[in-house]
Amino acid sequence: MSNSRGRFGQHGGQYMPETLMNAVIELEEAYNHYKDDPEFNRELTELFNEYAGRPSRLYYAEKLTKELGGAKIYLKREDLNHTGSHKINNVLGQALLAKKMGKTRLIAETGAGQHGVATATAAALLDMECVVFMGEEDTKRQALNVYRMKLLGSEVIPVKTGTATLKDAVSEAMREWTNRIDDTHYCLGSVMGPHPFPTIVRDFQAVISREIKQQMLEKEGRLPDVVMACVGGGSNAMGTFYNFIEDKDVRLIGCEAAGRGVDTFETAATIATGRLGIFHGMKSYFCQDKYGQIAPVYSISAGLDYPGIGPEHAWLHDIGRAEYVPVTDDEAVNAFEFLSRVEGIIPAIESSHAVAHAMKIAPTMDKDKIIVITVSGRGDKDCAAIARYRGEEIYE
């Protein structure tokens, strides 16, 4: 899908300070070597199966289907993975790669904390040092995950600059990487940043769509009509879409965080409101102010409030292969509660954005149509925040 130097159409590339070019070149060479190495792939598959609990279930949500009264709905249960989200797929791959490169220390950014927890987990397993950068605002919203990271032996550094959220955590992690290239690998958590990160993260997350395809053929004897996932930077959505890109009859839908609405400044819906720019080492679409500065974004979901989107998603949008739809806080919270009550599955508030859009489109589709929603993570971490959103008193 990409050409040389990680371009996806006009998007992608390597917009890096000179101090980091050697690190990304070293990473690219190592990845190109190990991605086809039988021993590396055997070790990674073993970690996926024995440690992370793959393959994850493809669950027919019969009650949800009945309630909505239209298309059949399947849930790809990434929430059942070890650590509770899809993030472990990419982290196990990158941590194993870093180990092969002789690195002894992992650093990571995190928003909702799921990527941070996954990185801290892999570091503990592979006996590596770990430092996670997290926006100070997010450390308050996701206090449980902060504790989990520390429990796993990781240091968590609250980032107080800018909006003190995910974009600032990324900036701080990149800054730290320039100081410690020799022994440190930056374990980037989404399909964003400079080449080769968007490709590496996509390839490790593509296990999601590979499994969906196989499981759908086993269960239904055919491919689904719609495959959908929430999108922030876009790692779970890219993993969900990737093996379906050539299957033109399968609709790909990414659900962005609209926050309080795309007509307000309190939104993180990049495709709906952003424009072309360069940030965090890549060319893609970003939410910007009238002066072209990266705009502060907002979402109830700490994992989706990134002001940009991965370059391959931007390209899929440009060529019309994937659709990107905005979903508001209100819609996501309703879906969070609805799926919990109907199926006894509490989804992450990130994943709830995809559930919300399925609740809109499923009733308009025929009963013989099939939708697959990737539930990217579980919602324990969000219960206190949603209770507060609903005005309930909560004791943590």
Side-chain angles (χ1 to χ4, degrees):
M1 298 299 155
S2 66
N3 57 23
S4 59
R5 313 318 294 165
R7 289 280 178 185
F8 302 92
Q10 65 179 327
H11 306 284
Q14 287 175 314
Y15 297 86
M16 300 302 293
E18 215 173 311
T19 44
L20 276 180
M21 278 311 291
N22 284 342
V24 293
I25 289 166
E26 180 196 17
L27 177 61
E28 184 181 4
E29 286 171 355
Y31 180 65
N32 285 339
H33 171 73
Y34 284 110
K35 70 177 179 183
D36 299 318
D37 178 60
E39 179 58 17
F40 178 85
N41 285 303
R42 186 196 61 74
E43 285 180 57
L44 183 58
T45 301
E46 195 171 297
L47 284 171
F48 276 177
N49 297 350
E50 300 300 322
Y51 189 70
R54 303 208 70 87
S56 67
R57 301 271 169 79
L58 185 68
Y59 169 72
Y60 171 44
E62 193 175 355
K63 287 183 68 193
L64 182 65
T65 299
K66 203 175 283 183
E67 283 281 336
L68 297 176
K72 276 180 101 162
I73 299 175
Y74 281 86
L75 305 177
K76 181 59 171 160
R77 300 288 309 276
E78 292 297 298
D79 58 312
L80 295 178
N81 294 342
H82 179 44
T83 73
S85 84
H86 74 291
K87 292 291 187 185
I88 195 75
N89 305 329
N90 165 50
V91 167
L92 287 174
Q94 282 200 52
L96 189 60
L97 181 62
K99 194 92 171 163
K100 301 272 187 200
M101 291 169 71
K103 308 295 183 186
T104 57
R105 181 171 177 260
L106 296 177
I107 59 172
E109 85 297 333
T110 199
Q114 294 300 88
H115 176 60
V117 168
T119 306
T121 300
L125 178 70
L126 298 175
D127 200 23
M128 300 172 86
E129 198 186 324
C130 182
V131 178
V132 178
F133 295 89
M134 189 173 189
E136 189 177 43
E137 187 57 37
D138 293 338
T139 61
K140 295 171 191 164
R141 290 197 281 188
Q142 300 290 351
L144 172 64
N145 277 342
V146 174
Y147 179 71
R148 289 170 78 195
M149 288 182 264
K150 290 178 178 174
L151 186 63
L152 290 156
S154 177
E155 183 186 354
V156 181
I157 298 179
V159 178
K160 300 180 164 98
T161 52
T163 52
T165 56
L166 182 55
K167 83 171 171 66
D168 310 292
V170 175
S171 301
E172 208 52 49
M174 283 190 168
R175 205 167 289 129
E176 171 66 14
W177 198 25
T178 52
N179 298 332
R180 293 266 304 257
I181 289 167
D182 290 348
D183 67 347
T184 298
H185 171 67
Y186 177 19
C187 189
L188 213 156
S190 198
V191 285
M192 44 165 274
H195 174 69
F197 282 113
T199 300
I200 289 176
V201 178
R202 175 202 72 200
D203 288 352
F204 289 141
Q205 291 293 2
V207 65
I208 300 173
S209 50
R210 198 158 59 241
E211 286 178 7
I212 292 173
K213 219 170 190 179
Q214 193 181 343
Q215 290 165 325
M216 277 307 310
L217 291 170
E218 284 167 9
K219 288 176 184 290
E220 294 280 351
R222 71 178 187 87
L223 297 183
D225 299 283
V226 177
V227 173
M228 59 200 299
C230 63
V231 178
S235 65
N236 101 87
M238 205 63 240
T240 301
F241 293 172
Y242 187 61
N243 286 291
F244 290 106
I245 290 172
E246 297 304 314
D247 300 301
K248 301 294 192 241
D249 292 338
V250 179
R251 275 174 74 192
L252 309 176
I253 305 178
C255 305
E256 297 192 298
R260 298 204 166 92
V262 290
D263 52 350
T264 73
F265 291 114
E266 293 180 290
T267 187
T270 304
I271 295 290
T273 66
R275 56 187 199 276
L276 198 62
I278 294 171
F279 188 52
H280 284 156
M282 62 177 172
K283 182 184 275 191
S284 188
Y285 294 118
F286 297 96
C287 299
Q288 300 170 52
D289 66 19
K290 62 182 176 182
Y291 304 109
Q293 297 296 311
I294 299 299
V297 291
Y298 161 79
S299 165
I300 191 170
S301 151
L304 299 183
D305 68 349
Y306 183 69
I309 193 165
E312 194 165 4
H313 281 296
W315 177 71
L316 289 176
H317 163 72
D318 285 358
I319 63 171
R321 179 62 193 95
E323 307 159 46
Y324 295 86
V325 297
V327 177
T328 65
D329 283 0
D330 266 354
E331 290 169 329
V333 170
N334 287 338
F336 177 88
E337 294 169 340
F338 188 69
L339 187 63
S340 300
R341 280 197 307 269
V342 171
E343 287 286 354
I345 295 169
I346 303 174
I349 191 62
E350 290 78 20
S351 317
S352 302
H353 286 71
V355 176
H357 191 64
M359 286 165 64
K360 275 188 205 168
I361 66 168
T364 70
M365 295 167 67
D366 293 339
K367 285 181 165 40
D368 63 348
K369 299 293 185 193
I370 299 170
I371 297 174
V372 176
I373 309 166
T374 295
V375 180
S376 55
R378 64 173 193 243
D380 323 33
K381 66 182 179 59
D382 301 306
C383 290
I386 303 303
R388 281 194 293 270
Y389 185 82
R390 289 297 194 209
E392 293 177 31
E393 213 168 309
I394 187 95
Y395 300 98
E396 290 185 77

